Amino acid sequence: MIRNQKIYKGGAEQKSSFSISRDFSWQIKGIAIVLMIIYHFFCFPEWYVEGISYPSLSAISYPLAHMTVTCVGLFAFLTGWTYALHRDKSFRYSFKKIGMFLVDYWTVYLLFLIVAILISGPVMLRDIPLEMIALKTDVMYFCWYVFFYIIVMVAFPLYIKISEKLKLNTLVKEVIFLAVYYRIIYFIFQFCGSNNVIGGIIIQFPTVVCGYLLCKYHIFDFIYQYIKNKKRIIKIIVGILLVLLSYCVMTFKPQLRNIIFFQWVGVPLSIFGLHLTGIQNVKWFDRLFGFLGIHSMNIWFLHSIFFSDYTKNIFQPIAFAVKNPLFVILWVLFLCSIASIPVEVLQKSIKSVIGKGQKFVTGHMNKR
């Protein structure tokens, strides 16, 4: 795929033996969105409308859920990794990122809100402000990550300012302080957040932190030094083993504390292992998962329509019309990817109008 080949690596302008290119980051997101579709469509039979069932999958739905739940962790890790790279870690930068993210979310939300009203009648007006920041997700069923992203993008510049004052210039100091910082954030939202938000903070915030620290302190570089000169076949074997280990380990003793731990360890290992295999350089892999990665956030938003209580009676049978689980996954990815294209055009148009409006206001104020 022809995309900007910007390198996402620790120390943005430094030479590095391990790097996450923009293409590779799209591929990781593409893999994550496929795992998410599997997770939502085949791991929770209680979400199905009447007439849809997969009893043959009931025996594997539990371990499958714990293998595919890392889908969000992959997005969270990349959020931390890319934040570490960006030179501007100010609140202004964070609010700009939040604003652009919310434009994407609101575009899909307002479209779905109209569909929900047409199908199920009026929604509760008091719920709309909460849905606008994903503190409530009746319409946008899986979009709790929106509010979590807001938390992360506000928490990190605050952390940067505190760490600079405390001179936290070593990995050990940062790990200790971030552990305390994490607990403070958790306790704050334990009393005023939704269950989804609390769950996101407990499990995913440490994963964001993990991505941030691994990038900032070049941890992957350090590990890669021991294997970079090995034969290609050795790298491939080690990479495959790391990926298999990171996902299979989630099926053993999947209590909450183990899930959190394996998110911290399993997600980075799977990304590192995937990089070692070199599959990111294979054309079909890049084209397929790169395309899905580019549209991954919209696919995340759009597939909510199949499970929202307002719309699932109409749209879920469409998703499961092809019956076979593999075909269902491919069909849903196809539907959401195709829908994402005009939605993305609309999102870019809205951002363009906002950008022009900001320039006009700024120019007018400067003239005064």
Side-chain angles (χ1 to χ4, degrees):
M1 302 187 73
I2 301 175
R3 297 190 292 274
N4 186 342
Q5 293 288 328
K6 180 180 177 181
I7 300 300
Y8 287 178
K9 59 189 176 185
E13 299 300 325
Q14 301 174 21
K15 290 186 178 180
S16 172
S17 56
F18 180 94
S19 63
I20 297 180
S21 67
R22 186 178 294 276
D23 281 3
F24 188 36
S25 71
W26 289 131
Q27 293 165 10
I28 293 169
K29 290 178 181 179
I31 293 169
I33 203 65
V34 172
L35 293 174
M36 185 179 291
I37 295 300
I38 296 170
Y39 181 64
H40 288 155
F41 278 80
F42 295 105
C43 296
F44 299 94
E46 64 271 21
W47 291 349
Y48 295 156
V49 298
E50 188 176 351
I52 298 174
S53 65
Y54 287 87
S56 60
L57 297 179
S58 59
I60 65 168
S61 63
Y62 188 68
L64 184 64
H66 289 285
M67 289 176 66
T68 54
V69 72
T70 53
C71 56
V72 179
L74 293 170
F75 284 102
F77 180 90
L78 288 175
T79 297
W81 182 279
T82 54
Y83 187 86
L85 294 174
H86 208 277
R87 286 187 176 84
D88 185 1
K89 294 179 172 62
S90 64
F91 281 104
R92 183 177 180 179
Y93 166 73
S94 285
F95 289 135
K96 180 180 178 181
K97 294 288 289 184
I98 291 169
M100 294 299 99
F101 189 65
L102 284 175
V103 168
D104 291 340
Y105 172 68
W106 289 341
T107 302
V108 180
Y109 169 64
L110 292 175
L111 291 173
F112 279 13
L113 181 62
I114 294 170
V115 173
I117 292 171
L118 290 174
I119 292 175
S120 300
V123 300
M124 299 294 288
L125 290 177
R126 67 171 179 268
D127 291 342
I128 293 178
L130 296 176
E131 287 250 16
M132 294 287 282
I133 55 173
L135 269 177
K136 198 171 181 64
T137 55
D138 291 343
V139 175
M140 302 291 283
Y141 200 69
F142 298 121
C143 296
W144 60 268
Y145 193 87
V146 172
F147 188 74
F148 173 73
Y149 182 80
I150 295 172
I151 294 171
V152 169
M153 294 306 291
V154 172
F156 261 93
L158 178 60
Y159 163 74
I160 297 298
K161 289 185 178 297
I162 295 172
S163 65
E164 287 175 351
K165 288 186 178 297
L166 297 179
K167 297 181 179 180
L168 302 176
N169 52 7
T170 67
L171 177 60
V172 174
K173 288 180 181 178
E174 286 214 55
V175 169
I176 293 172
F177 182 75
L178 275 166
V180 176
Y181 192 63
Y182 158 64
R183 294 302 297 180
I184 292 171
I185 293 172
Y186 166 66
F187 281 122
I188 290 172
F189 285 96
Q190 187 178 20
F191 298 103
C192 59
S194 68
N195 290 334
N196 279 336
V197 172
I198 295 301
I201 292 172
I202 293 172
I203 299 175
Q204 303 304 342
F205 191 84
T207 312
V208 176
V209 168
C210 185
Y212 172 79
L213 293 177
L214 286 176
C215 179
K216 181 178 179 179
Y217 289 98
H218 314 280
I219 305 301
F220 280 159
D221 277 345
F222 176 76
I223 298 171
Y224 191 68
Q225 298 303 316
Y226 294 95
I227 196 172
K228 69 176 182 179
N229 294 322
K230 301 293 183 182
K231 293 181 179 179
R232 178 170 171 76
I233 187 64
I234 299 297
K235 292 181 184 178
I236 292 173
I237 292 172
V238 172
I240 291 172
L241 288 175
L242 286 176
V243 172
L244 290 175
L245 176 65
S246 64
Y247 283 99
C248 290
V249 79
M250 290 293 292
T251 64
F252 300 101
K253 296 183 178 181
Q255 290 89 355
L256 178 60
R257 64 179 182 276
N258 292 329
I259 292 173
I260 297 170
F261 175 75
F262 290 130
Q263 284 275 103
W264 300 349
V265 177
V267 169
L269 279 182
S270 64
I271 292 174
F272 187 74
L274 192 66
H275 186 277
L276 286 181
T277 66
I279 196 170
Q280 68 272 21
N281 299 316
V282 177
K283 285 187 178 180
W284 70 264
F285 184 87
D286 176 48
R287 289 174 179 172
L288 174 61
F289 289 100
F291 175 80
L292 291 175
I294 289 171
H295 294 278
S296 58
M297 194 53 64
N298 275 341
I299 295 173
W300 189 339
F301 295 157
L302 290 166
H303 86 283
S304 294
I305 202 167
F306 299 111
F307 292 92
S308 167
D309 287 337
Y310 291 107
T311 56
K312 68 179 184 179
N313 286 323
I314 299 295
F315 288 94
Q316 204 173 97
I318 296 173
F320 288 96
V322 291
K323 306 295 183 184
N324 181 282
L326 177 60
F327 291 159
V328 169
I329 295 166
L330 296 175
W331 176 234
V332 169
L333 287 170
F334 173 77
L335 290 174
C336 292
S337 297
I338 295 300
S340 173
I341 295 172
V343 167
E344 185 179 39
V345 172
L346 181 58
Q347 291 165 336
K348 287 181 177 179
S349 299
I350 294 171
K351 289 176 184 177
S352 177
V353 171
I354 293 173
K356 290 177 181 178
Q358 289 175 333
K359 287 181 180 179
F360 175 80
V361 172
T362 303
H364 186 68
M365 292 180 67
N366 289 337
K367 287 179 181 179
R368 294 180 63 184

